Each structure stands twice: as structure tokens, then as C-alpha cells.
């Protein structure tokens, strides 16, 4: 059996080739560009040679004689503010909460590392901020914890935590020491 070409079967007769558009001459485009540039230059020249519009003459105001009113101007009112008198005698009483001193001190942990050199590097970063820290290792554990404290007030631990956050040393957690 003979092989049939099904792709060419759908094509009928050949269409005549289209004639390409006539080529433009490059010198025509150059002449058009030169004419446009010269028109633009002529427009700028005529704008620069326009005469200035005449300046308007300054208008002088006629001097008028002040009219005398039959009533004199009243004196400005005096402002009487109450707070000026009462403020120096005012006393504000503020009741401050007493700080509760916890029996269990607070500690702050700023990392737990498997290798001692990583923990020492974190301790060094904290030392550059002027805060003392310790490296602790529990018995039976392979983790080295970088610990700050103990703090008697949680506020002191928070202050150091914010100082470390500003130095991009994170994360640090505060809790009560259980050891």
C-alpha cells in the first residue's frame, strides 16, 4: 500500500505570492525630518522676538482723610481665665501601687544550644550590651542555656529584654526560676 500525505491533501492550489509594498526612499524621510526641525526652530524664533506687553501703570490710591466717629473706640476686653488662679494651688494626688517582691526570683533565658561555642557566642553578644549572663547545663541534658538574672522584679527583666531586642538579640523568655 502506498503512503499518503494527509497534510498536503488539504491544501488546494497554490496562491499567487503577494507583491511586497514599494520601498520607501530614505532621503524622503530625511527631507521631512529637516522640514519639521526647521519649522520648530522658526516657531521658537518668532516667540522670542515677540514684543513684551506694556506694563500697566501703577494705580495710586487717593488719600482720604480719616473720618472722625462720634464714639471713641472701647478698650479691649480683659480676659479672666479661671485656671490661672486655680492651677498653682491645685495638688494632684497619685496613688502608686506597691511593688510586690516575689519569693521566687525571675530569670531570663536567651537561648539554648547543643554546642558550647554557640552558647558562648550568644553570651558574648549579650556582654557587648553591658549585661551579665551565665551558661548553664543541667545534669543529664546536652543543652547549654544562656541565662540572665536572677531578677527580684519582673520589671528589671523586661528592661533588659527590651535592651536586647533593640540590639537584635532575640528571642528571650522571662519566667520564675524553679531550680
Amino acid at each position: 500500500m502506498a503512503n499518503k500525505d494527509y497534510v498536503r491533501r488539504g491544501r488546494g492550489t497554490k496562491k499567487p505570492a503577494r507583491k511586497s509594498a514599494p520601498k520607501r526612499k530614505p532621503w524622503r524621510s530625511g527631507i521631512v525630518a529637516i522640514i519639521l526641525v526647521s519649522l520648530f526652530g522658526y516657531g521658537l524664533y518668532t516667540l522670542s522676538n515677540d514684543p513684551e506687553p506694556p506694563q500697566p501703570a501703577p494705580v495710586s490710591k487717593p488719600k482720604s482723610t480719616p473720618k472722625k466717629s462720634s464714639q471713641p473706640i472701647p478698650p479691649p476686653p480683659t480676659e479672666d481665665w479661671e485656671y490661672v488662679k486655680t492651677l498653682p494651688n491645685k495638688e494632684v494626688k497619685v496613688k502608686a501601687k506597691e511593688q510586690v517582691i516575689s519569693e521566687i526570683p525571675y530569670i531570663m533565658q536567651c537561648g539554648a544550644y547543643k554546642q558550647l561555642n554557640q552558647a558562648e557566642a550568644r553570651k558574648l553578644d549579650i556582654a557587648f550590651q553591658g549585661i551579665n549572663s551565665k551558661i548553664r547545663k543541667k545534669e543529664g541534658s546536652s543543652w547549654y542555656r544562656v541565662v540572665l538574672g536572677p531578677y527580684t522584679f519582673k520589671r528589671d527583666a523586661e528592661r533588659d529584654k527590651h535592651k536586647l531586642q533593640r540590639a537584635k538579640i532575640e528571642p528571650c523568655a522571662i519566667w520564675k526560676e524553679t531550680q
Side-chain angles (χ1 to χ4, degrees):
M1 195 172 194
N3 291 339
K4 292 188 178 183
D5 191 359
Y6 292 101
V7 174
R8 289 190 179 187
R9 190 175 113 196
R11 295 181 184 174
T13 60
K14 286 190 173 182
K15 296 180 184 175
R18 283 189 171 178
K19 293 183 181 178
S20 62
K23 293 183 180 179
R24 290 189 176 169
K25 308 284 183 189
W27 57 272
R28 287 185 188 167
S29 300
I31 291 175
V32 170
I34 291 172
I35 291 172
L36 288 174
V37 169
S38 61
L39 285 174
F40 182 70
Y42 178 73
L44 288 177
Y45 175 75
T46 56
L47 284 176
S48 66
N49 286 338
D50 274 349
E52 291 289 325
Q55 295 291 334
V59 178
S60 61
K61 294 182 180 178
K63 293 185 179 181
S64 61
T65 57
K67 297 179 182 178
K68 291 189 177 182
S69 63
S70 60
Q71 298 176 349
I73 298 175
T78 58
E79 296 178 358
D80 190 24
W81 298 97
E82 186 177 325
Y83 74 88
V84 174
K85 296 174 187 171
T86 60
L87 193 60
N89 301 330
K90 185 100 173 168
E91 185 176 326
V92 178
K93 294 182 181 178
V94 178
K95 221 178 199 186
K97 287 186 354 183
E98 291 184 27
Q99 289 186 344
V100 178
I101 299 176
S102 175
E103 295 175 7
I104 303 172
Y106 292 95
I107 62 166
M108 180 168 41
Q109 179 177 326
C110 287
Y113 302 97
K114 278 284 194 185
Q115 297 176 357
L116 180 62
N117 61 355
Q118 291 175 328
E120 287 175 349
R122 175 54 60 111
K123 181 180 177 184
L124 184 65
D125 291 340
I126 294 170
F128 278 126
Q129 301 307 314
I131 302 171
N132 293 328
S133 61
K134 301 173 203 147
I135 297 175
R136 292 186 185 172
K137 182 180 180 187
K138 280 189 178 180
E139 290 183 25
S141 174
S142 62
W143 291 92
Y144 295 95
R145 301 185 323 156
V146 180
V147 178
L148 287 76
Y151 298 98
T152 54
F153 298 109
K154 188 173 182 180
R155 172 177 247 155
D156 296 336
E158 289 286 342
R159 182 179 51 242
D160 285 350
K161 181 179 178 181
H162 292 304
K163 188 174 184 180
L164 293 173
Q165 282 177 342
R166 285 191 296 271
K168 306 276 193 265
I169 299 173
E170 295 183 277
C172 294
I174 300 171
W175 56 70
K176 292 188 176 186
E177 188 171 23
T178 57
Q179 290 182 354

